[in-house]
Every structure is written in structure tokens, then in C-alpha cells.
Amino acid sequence: MMTEAPRDRHTGSAAPQRADCVADAAGGLTFDLAPGTGQAGPAHLVLRRRDGEETALPLAPAEDGRLRAALPSGVDLPEGRWDAYARFADGEPRPLAPGIHDLRSLVDRAPGGTAARIAVRIPYTAKNGTLAVRSWLRAPHAEAGDLRVDEDELRVTGRVYGTGLAPDAHAEIRERGGARSVLRADVTGREAEFGFTVPYAPLGPGLWDLWLHPGGAGGPQVRIARLLDDIADKKPVFRYPRAAVRAEHGPVEAWPYYTVDNDLSVTVSARD
């Protein structure tokens, strides 16, 4: 016996089915679809990236009449924003509505030091009110920690995963676009913990992205980001003071921020 999907009381159309999500510390996700919309035939939870790529996860019966799908941390989900759908038999995928998100295991997440890669998947509510998943997959990864903003500089600390720090490890502050100037900064630290200072005075107006070279000049280039928590979009949440600096290019304001991809950057803006 099939049960009719609940209908939106305003539009009369089928209301999105709700999905609860549980995250684990390794980077996996479990999706539980609320009961009441059973359909005949195979069922899948479909994750569709904004460029059209899809991943289909089988939905299997679970307790209390729910349907459950699992996305283990070992299954690759390329970086991006993925909209969540339910597909029954050969029908069209239907958007899912966010239910209860249990993300407690992501708060202050600290992967083991031997982790070769970092997989991060955070469910969130998209702008249209449907369920989506933000995914990152990085190897190696440089996780930004505390940021200290002084009058004319920024102090960055963090931890690198998937590799260690070589004696000639360093950071780069790269201008985005334009002339693509690069400023090198010495890194202090030991084992996986790193720190460096971004001086504002040499930076001209524009956007400057922060990179780590943990293995020195011949090693990997790693974008510094903050991924290991339960916040899918850091940009509107993490706000930092602006510093008024008499820079080499004239008076500017400078401040750190996280991009839409949760990568760490610095904005420099000319002032009168």
C-alpha cells in the first residue's frame, strides 16, 4: 500500500519530504527520511551538485517506518554545494526539506594526526528552504585556528593535516587577480602546528588569499581554510576588526575574512 505524500496547505502541491541528518566525526552523514511517503520500487537519496553532477545513495527501511541513506566518509563527494532529493522508482527526484540536524560531532572536530585527507560534509538549509550539503575534500589541509588582529598586522595560527612542517615551510599572501603580487611570510611552529604574521603595510587595495607551503618551495601548496566545525558558511558568521594602516600604497583599511568556500583571505580597502 502506498501513502500519498503530504501536500502544502497553501499551494496544494506535494510538500517536500523532510530528512533528518546525523554527522559523524570522520566526515560521514546519515540521512533519515520521515515516514508517510512510502513508494513502491527502489528508492534513492540523490545529491546533485550545482554543475549537474549526481551521487545516488540507496534508501533502505529503518526503524519507525523511516528510510535511511548513508554517505560514509570514505566515499568521495567532490567539493561544492549539493542539493538533496528523494527519488522513488523511476520517478523524478523531489527536493527534500531540512529536518533535525545532529552536528554535535563536528563541533571542535579534531581528526587524527595521521589522516591523509580531510572530508567535510555539512548539511544546511539552502536559500530556497530545501536541504543541501556543503562538501570539502582536501589532502593535505591547513586548518585555520585563532586569528589575532593587531593595529597593523594579522597573526594566523593553525594545524596542517596530511603532511608535516619542513624546516623551510612558509606562507604566501597572494593577490587575487590583477598583478597577482605575492608576499612571503616565515612560518613558526613544530610538527603540525603552524603560525605566521601577515603585515598589512605591503598590501595594496584588493583581496589577498592565504596559502601554506608546509614542505617548503618544492612541496604542496595548501589553501588555508576553516572547515572543522558545524558552520557551513563562515563569511556572515565570523567578523573581525578592521585596522586603519598607513600602508606603502597610502592609507588603507585591512581585515581578515572567510570566503564563500570558507578559505581565509584578507581584504584591503583604500581610505581617504
Side-chain angles (χ1 to χ4, degrees), residues 147-156 173 176 198-201 203-210 235 238-245 251-259 263-271:
L147 306 182
R148 190 183 73 198
V149 180
D150 293 327
E151 291 183 356
D152 58 357
E153 64 183 24
L154 168 69
R155 179 66 181 172
V156 179
I173 302 97
R176 192 185 307 169
V198 179
Y200 289 148
L203 306 182
L207 302 177
W208 297 80
D209 298 328
L210 306 188
K235 189 172 183 178
F238 289 83
R239 303 281 184 157
Y240 296 96
R242 301 186 179 204
V245 181
V252 299
E253 278 190 327
W255 65 96
Y257 77 101
Y258 287 102
T259 71
D263 296 323
L264 182 59
S265 297
V266 170
T267 295
V268 179
S269 178
R271 63 183 178 89

Side-chain angles (χ1 to χ4, degrees), residues 10-252:
H10 299 292
T11 66
S13 60
Q17 187 172 3
R18 192 184 73 182
D20 298 335
C21 297
V22 178
D24 63 49
L29 284 179
T30 300
F31 302 86
D32 276 359
L33 273 61
T37 55
Q39 302 283 335
H44 291 86
L45 186 139
V46 177
L47 297 175
R48 180 182 294 164
R49 198 163 64 169
R50 304 294 165 84
D51 64 359
E53 181 178 351
E54 286 190 359
T55 294
L57 307 172
L59 282 163
E63 63 271 11
D64 301 325
R66 291 171 170 263
L67 290 174
R68 178 168 296 165
L71 176 64
S73 60
V75 174
D76 286 351
L77 188 69
E79 288 204 21
R81 297 177 185 270
W82 299 76
D83 297 311
Y85 301 84
R87 182 170 61 207
F88 298 97
D90 296 325
E92 289 295 317
R94 300 201 304 246
L96 291 168
I100 298 171
H101 295 172
D102 184 352
L103 307 182
R104 289 173 293 179
S105 65
L106 301 184
V107 178
D108 297 326
R109 179 184 169 199
T114 60
R117 68 174 188 172
I118 297 298
V120 177
R121 291 82 175 262
I122 305 177
Y124 70 100
T125 303
K127 290 182 178 179
N128 63 358
T130 60
L131 176 64
V133 174
R134 187 70 174 89
S135 176
W136 293 266
L137 187 63
R138 299 197 175 179
H141 168 57
E143 176 74 5
D146 292 334
L147 306 182
R148 190 183 73 198
V149 180
D150 293 327
E151 291 183 356
D152 58 357
E153 64 183 24
L154 168 69
R155 179 66 181 172
V156 179
T157 60
R159 182 179 181 88
V160 65
Y161 294 90
T163 187
L165 291 177
D168 58 342
H170 62 275
E172 285 186 348
I173 302 97
R174 301 181 185 174
E175 184 181 13
R176 192 185 307 169
R180 301 195 62 81
S181 300
V182 177
L183 179 68
R184 177 167 168 163
D186 293 333
V187 165
T188 59
R190 61 186 182 87
E191 297 180 351
E193 305 291 334
F194 67 85
F196 65 94
T197 298
V198 179
Y200 289 148
L203 306 182
L207 302 177
W208 297 80
D209 298 328
L210 306 188
W211 292 76
L212 182 69
H213 291 247
Q221 304 177 36
V222 185
R223 189 70 166 92
I224 299 172
R226 184 170 182 141
L227 307 179
L228 299 177
D229 58 26
D230 61 339
I231 302 173
D233 291 297
K234 308 290 193 299
K235 189 172 183 178
V237 176
F238 289 83
R239 303 281 184 157
Y240 296 96
R242 301 186 179 204
V245 181
R246 177 67 63 175
E248 297 173 6
H249 302 268
V252 299

